Amino acid sequence: MSLLQAATDVRENAYAPYSRFKVGAALRTAGGAVHVGCNVENVAYPEGTCAEAGAIAAMCAAGERQIAEIWVIADSPEPVPPCGGCRQKIAEFAAQDVVVTLCTTDGKRRSLTVADLLPGVFTQSHMDRA
Ligand code: THU
């Protein structure tokens, strides 16, 4: 199954009663496994957990750490870019040249790299003098 289809399918399981904005994410790891996530909101923190964060959590829970490719889909006029927190989370587990593909349910697509998404990313090396 393609990552687009996996992200499309898991989006149906999103729990988004507050925003009514369902998001699905699917990633492939360096080892070839596919992990998916959807956004899950709650009344105290209505922004909840993003789809990308869910897919990353599933990847980590499976003992994997390296994203090779990630797709995100939502029903929006233009492909929705990941929030700031998700950009940092993706950058934690993906090389700078990994491609992130943002999609709409009506077929628009935008691909960019992790470096494009989060220029000047904070990394471990910035703490080298600590
Ligand atoms: N959301 C995601 O899951 N991923 C994104 O890239 C953008 C936003 C979710 C969080 C929240 O449940 C809803 O969309 C509105 O912010």
Side-chain angles (χ1 to χ4, degrees), residues 16 19 21 23 39-41 46-52 72 80-83 86:
S19 70
F21 186 65
V23 186
N39 55 328
V40 179
E41 300 178 348
E47 72 280 7
T49 304
C50 287
E52 299 90 322
V72 183
V80 173
C83 75
C86 284

Side-chain angles (χ1 to χ4, degrees), residues 88 119-130:
Q88 190 76 49
V121 61
F122 174 66
T123 64
Q124 183 74 32
S125 67
H126 291 102
M127 296 190 287
D128 276 355
R129 294 186 191 174

